[in-house]
Amino acid sequence: MAPQTSDRQEHRFPCDQCGADFRYSPERGMLVCDHCGNTASMVDRPEAPAIAELDFKAALNQQLPEAETEVTRVLNCPNCGAQVEFDGVTHAKECPFCATPVVTDTGEHRHIKPRGVLPFGVDEDGARVAMNDWLGSLWFAPNGLQEYARKGRKMQGVYVPYFTYDADTKTEYSGQRGTVYHETRRVTVNGKTQTRTVQKVRWRPVSGRVARWFDDVLVLASKSLPQKYTDALEPWDLSALEPYSPEFLAGFRAEGYTVALDEGFETARVKMSRVIERDVKFDIGGDRQRINKMDTQVSDVTFKHVLLPVWVAAYKYRDKSYRFVVNGRTGRVQGERPYSAWKIALAVIAGLIVAAGVGYLVAINQ
């Protein structure tokens, strides 16, 4: 079935029985109408082309074909900076990332179209169960936190933007290879002669060249969520990426990227450098390695803009926002958490009582 689109490329998938909107169902892998129960198979859509890479330099020089860019309507969160796509009738909304009410003028954002999408594999109920289990495992969490989880507040399914980078690298290096050897020495201790074995390292200069092709170096293209939490949601099964199709977004939000393409590549270069350093050490060989210099040439850089699925819950506790994120494929949970001062105080008091009791028993026995 073909989507209905407006001049702003807003996609709707009306049910052919009742006219209500279809949504993509992760558990069923198809479009489902919550109003009448009608379904539509994803196989009815036209065959999508394979996911292709885009030229990095052409994108930086704004020379991509016009078909590779689009304009979407977004609202900007004044608190966390998220740019979240909205439909044509929404003018006020709570930010799914930090629970801040977003009431702002509508704006349009021109960006590179997504090439791939990793469909949700965990539905909202599954995500809530995973989050509740995670919250229940936290030590010293306030009761209000767990009560919030039990209330079953709606979680928001959001497709979060990422860039993947491919690159060919060739690195020339110089360094030193260390070979461990042992020497036996005689020492005198308290008038007695003893034999000791001392470990030493013999270094010699080396140089060489290593090459590596990097495929799909993943970089978060959003600043709305703490990277330490989104990084902890990895790994992502990128082999399951589907060519982008708006049907997968039915019933979900999609965040616009706020990290520039070249900025993302700098992050990718840091990740590449760590791998190249390991390659160089392996190439140096020996028992120990020292790297004095690495000169890396990067070529044939390509990229993709892809969307990965995250369930987001956010609430305010004592005027501070706390956010939880759930990997929409694996159910892995990460998030922020407050601490209960009185629970910590009770634990300290209980520890002191136990310590005092143990000390008293020891004293009696002595």
Side-chain angles (χ1 to χ4, degrees):
M1 61 182 297
Q4 293 182 356
T5 61
S6 70
D7 57 353
R8 286 179 176 174
Q9 295 299 305
E10 294 166 354
H11 302 283
R12 288 186 62 247
F13 295 88
C15 173
D16 51 10
Q17 288 190 1
C18 70
D21 285 343
F22 276 121
R23 67 172 178 84
Y24 177 72
S25 171
E27 67 273 22
R28 302 179 67 177
M30 61 176 58
L31 298 176
V32 175
C33 177
D34 290 329
H35 183 71
C36 70
N38 185 30
T39 62
S41 174
M42 296 290 289
V43 299
D44 292 339
R45 61 191 176 98
E47 186 67 24
I51 303 176
E53 303 284 337
L54 296 177
D55 184 82
F56 179 69
K57 289 184 179 180
L60 292 185
N61 295 328
Q62 298 183 349
Q63 294 177 345
L64 288 179
E66 187 175 346
E68 298 297 341
T69 64
E70 64 180 354
V71 176
T72 57
R73 178 174 169 268
V74 298
L75 295 184
N76 296 293
C77 176
N79 183 42
C80 70
Q83 290 190 342
V84 184
E85 294 182 17
F86 288 88
D87 55 42
V89 297
T90 302
H91 295 282
K93 199 75 175 178
E94 184 181 83
C95 176
F97 295 99
C98 67
T100 298
V102 179
V103 182
T104 183
D105 293 335
T106 61
E108 291 186 336
H109 178 217
R110 175 171 290 278
H111 60 232
I112 301 167
K113 288 181 180 179
R115 273 297 183 107
V117 57
L118 189 59
F120 276 86
V122 175
D123 62 12
E124 184 179 356
D125 289 340
R128 182 176 292 109
V129 169
M131 189 184 74
N132 289 352
D133 291 343
W134 183 79
L135 291 173
S137 68
L138 298 180
W139 286 69
F140 306 124
N143 291 335
L145 182 83
Q146 298 180 6
E147 289 173 3
Y148 162 81
R150 296 191 193 100
K151 288 180 181 177
R153 177 178 173 176
K154 183 174 177 61
M155 300 184 72
Q156 180 69 62
V158 180
Y159 280 102
V160 177
Y162 282 78
F163 291 126
T164 71
Y165 297 91
D166 293 1
D168 190 26
T169 65
K170 294 178 174 60
T171 303
E172 294 185 357
Y173 70 86
S174 62
Q176 294 175 300
R177 177 188 298 135
T179 302
V180 174
Y181 67 98
H182 298 85
E183 288 185 351
T184 301
R185 295 181 179 177
R186 291 183 176 274
V187 297
T188 301
V189 179
N190 297 327
K192 295 183 178 179
T193 301
Q194 299 179 353
T195 299
R196 289 186 179 177
T197 300
V198 179
Q199 185 182 88
K200 287 193 164 187
V201 180
R202 182 181 295 108
W203 296 98
R204 70 180 184 87
V206 293
S207 61
R209 188 180 188 188
V210 297
R212 177 177 283 270
W213 168 257
F214 287 92
D215 181 42
D216 284 348
V217 179
L218 189 66
V219 174
L220 176 68
S222 165
K223 296 181 180 179
S224 58
L225 290 172
Q227 188 171 350
K228 64 179 180 179
Y229 297 134
T230 52
D231 285 350
L233 293 181
E234 297 181 10
W236 294 94
D237 52 338
L238 296 183
S239 61
L241 277 171
E242 295 276 359
Y244 174 78
S245 176
E247 287 103 326
F248 290 116
L249 274 62
F252 299 98
R253 297 280 182 210
E255 185 189 6
Y257 60 81
T258 51
V259 173
L261 185 63
D262 53 350
E263 182 183 353
F265 185 61
E266 291 303 313
T267 302
R269 282 294 307 270
V270 173
K271 292 186 174 183
M272 294 177 190
S273 293
R274 296 192 191 111
V275 177
I276 293 172
E277 184 175 330
R278 290 198 297 267
D279 289 347
V280 168
K281 288 184 175 181
F282 181 82
D283 198 60
I284 290 176
D287 301 311
R288 307 281 175 83
Q289 301 85 31
R290 290 175 179 168
I291 300 175
N292 298 333
K293 182 181 178 181
M294 291 196 312
D295 182 15
T296 300
Q297 301 298 318
V298 182
S299 61
D300 300 329
V301 181
T302 58
F303 75 96
K304 296 189 300 291
H305 170 207
V306 299
L307 301 175
L308 303 186
V310 175
W311 287 102
V312 179
Y315 83 110
K316 288 186 177 292
Y317 180 78
R318 294 184 177 178
D319 297 324
K320 183 177 180 181
S321 293
Y322 293 91
R323 293 165 290 182
F324 309 98
V325 290
V326 182
N327 185 314
R329 296 285 293 188
T330 65
R332 187 170 186 176
V333 183
Q334 292 294 319
E336 301 165 314
R337 48 82 52 85
Y339 289 86
S340 172
W342 69 267
K343 284 187 178 181
I344 295 175
L346 287 179
V348 171
I349 293 172
L352 293 174
I353 292 174
V354 170
V358 172
Y360 177 74
L361 293 175
V362 172
I364 290 178
N365 290 332
Q366 289 179 344

